[in-house]
Amino acid sequence: MIPLLAAESGGGFELPPIDHLFVFPAWFDDGLFGEGSILAFNRTSFLYLLAALITIGLVVAAFGNPKVVPGKLQAGMEAGVDFVKNSIIGAIIGPEGYRYLPLLFSLFIFIFVNNLFEVLPFINFPPTSRMALPAVLSLMIYFLFIFVGIKAQGPKYFWNAVSVPGVPKAMLLLIVPIEFVSTFLLRPFTLAVRLFANMMAGHILLTVVFLASNYSLVDFHSLYEGGVPEIAAHGWIQFALGIPIFVGAIALVGFEILVGSLQAYIFTMLAAVYISGSLSPDH
Amino acid sequence: MDLMILAQEAVVTESTTNLANGLVYGLAAIGPGIGIGYLVGHAVEAMARQPEAASLVSTNMFLGIAFTEALALLGFVLAFII
């Protein structure tokens, strides 16, 4: 009732267009990194670089000068390495996968830092919610697992990847196209879309709940107090509606931290699964 | 007259697109919703029966969730593309 009245008298709660949440203008007007160039440098590019620097900085600070009795940072990072080594590589690939530990660990930390940018004050934007970064990371994994497969099994890898041993010859006519599409076309696509869509959905969700609570608790009252009297008299209803929204918004920040770390884990784990599928021919 | 018909068509097209967006995501969420519920339910059952296998089961559970969830996320992305 109250929001309806507010909407009729101009104003009202409006969400910004979706582009305003994800597309940022370039920092420079012209030149190589300017507006319109393929290398245009904007907030997203800056956050990519920042995440890479943080990843490098964390690893160098923790392991550049290792101590026998680890400090807080070194102990924390060692727990991370142990997690990737035992719960991801050890459980999925086995001991022969330890050579991929540096790649998978830095991948995990890099995606984790990118996802945490969503809830970091004054940044509040996950760069993984633009398709560029997930696409490049998943293409990297795509070429890696094909390369690993060719190296481990030779040219027979392509046949092993699309066929299933022990089925009748006639069934292969059906199985080979399906397996080909799912392994070589859908794998990189879903790997990228999974990370991208999760972070994009989280960013939209947080934007909606925080804008709604800001509108109900602050903007509504500054807009209508002293304006239309019948709306101002009912301002407390809008305020009471805003309190559960704000509490829910704070809970959703915690939920987004969970989603961000889970997505970093799942991306790393799927990369390990794809590598392990290329290392041995059986399905 | 023609202008009014055009305006009506524009309104119909926009509201149909909005309806389609909602339907695309809503319908795409049904299957993965059932799938993830079934998957996690059975994983919890397995962990309750054999607590010592919990880490193995949960790794595979997350793997299965990731594959199932992809369908819902495709619907989410398609809803924006339409």
Side-chain angles (χ1 to χ4, degrees):
Chain A
M1 184 69 189
I2 299 300
L4 205 75
L5 272 178
E8 274 168 2
S9 60
F13 177 54
E14 269 184 28
L15 282 176
I18 207 90
D19 277 3
H20 290 200
L21 302 183
F22 293 101
V23 182
F24 298 105
W27 282 5
F28 310 108
D29 285 336
D30 49 3
L32 185 59
F33 300 113
E35 187 75 60
S37 157
I38 198 170
L39 293 172
F41 193 86
N42 59 11
R43 191 159 172 246
T44 316
S45 333
F46 173 72
L47 290 178
Y48 289 156
L49 288 181
L50 188 65
L53 284 180
I54 289 177
T55 310
I56 296 170
L58 271 178
V59 174
V60 168
F63 303 129
N65 183 16
K67 305 272 195 310
V68 180
V69 181
K72 276 178 191 158
L73 182 66
Q74 194 188 340
M77 293 293 277
E78 276 177 2
V81 173
D82 270 355
F83 171 72
V84 175
K85 188 175 178 184
N86 297 328
S87 324
I88 296 182
I89 299 181
I92 291 169
I93 311 182
E96 70 267 29
Y98 287 157
R99 54 181 309 200
Y100 303 106
L101 177 63
L103 172 80
L104 293 179
F105 178 67
S106 44
L107 198 65
F108 178 75
I109 295 291
F110 182 58
I111 297 175
F112 186 56
V113 168
N114 267 304
N115 291 350
L116 276 195
F117 278 165
E118 176 170 16
V119 293
L120 209 63
F122 305 112
I123 293 181
N124 289 112
F125 173 69
T128 30
S129 67
R130 299 305 310 275
M131 195 48 165
L133 184 65
V136 167
L137 290 180
S138 84
L139 277 182
M140 201 173 83
I141 298 300
Y142 178 65
F143 289 120
L144 177 76
F145 80 71
I146 291 179
F147 176 76
V148 168
I150 294 173
K151 206 176 157 204
Q153 303 174 32
K156 252 184 90 62
Y157 161 71
F158 290 105
W159 177 247
N160 289 338
V162 296
S163 69
V164 179
V167 297
K169 285 270 187 293
M171 282 297 285
L172 283 180
L173 275 178
L174 193 63
I175 289 174
V176 167
I178 295 177
E179 285 287 317
F180 176 78
V181 169
S182 95
T183 307
F184 291 108
L185 302 181
L186 283 182
R187 253 187 199 183
F189 181 67
T190 53
L191 188 63
V193 164
R194 181 174 298 113
L195 178 60
F196 153 74
N198 265 296
M199 300 324 291
M200 182 182 169
H203 189 50
I204 294 174
L205 190 69
L206 285 190
T207 312
V208 169
V209 289
F210 275 109
L211 281 182
S213 49
N214 177 50
Y215 174 75
S216 301
L217 297 178
V218 182
D219 278 1
F220 180 85
H221 307 282
S222 61
L223 272 175
Y224 297 111
E225 294 294 342
V228 192
E230 66 264 32
I231 297 177
H234 291 92
W236 64 272
I237 300 183
Q238 188 79 37
F239 196 83
L241 282 175
I243 290 172
I245 301 178
F246 188 55
V247 173
I250 292 173
L252 279 174
V253 170
F255 176 70
E256 283 308 316
I257 296 175
L258 176 75
V259 168
S261 44
L262 199 63
Q263 286 309 313
Y265 169 55
I266 283 177
F267 195 98
T268 318
M269 190 169 67
L270 283 173
V273 168
Y274 295 159
I275 291 172
S276 119
S278 298
L279 278 174
S280 54
D282 53 336
H283 269 261
Chain B
M1 192 62 198
D2 281 352
L3 265 181
M4 277 187 68
I5 293 173
L6 274 179
Q8 270 180 348
E9 276 180 356
V11 168
V12 167
T13 319
E14 198 190 328
S15 59
T16 320
T17 314
N18 289 342
L19 182 68
N21 286 344
L23 278 181
V24 162
Y25 179 63
L27 292 176
I30 295 176
I34 297 171
I36 292 178
Y38 190 77
L39 198 160
V40 178
H42 279 268
V44 169
E45 197 183 310
M47 283 189 245
R49 280 171 193 252
Q50 252 182 327
E52 65 270 27
S55 66
L56 187 68
V57 172
S58 63
T59 305
N60 283 316
M61 183 186 78
F62 281 121
L63 206 61
I65 290 176
F67 287 133
T68 319
E69 188 194 41
L71 299 171
L73 294 172
L74 285 182
F76 176 76
V77 173
L78 276 179
F80 280 102
I81 291 175
I82 287 178

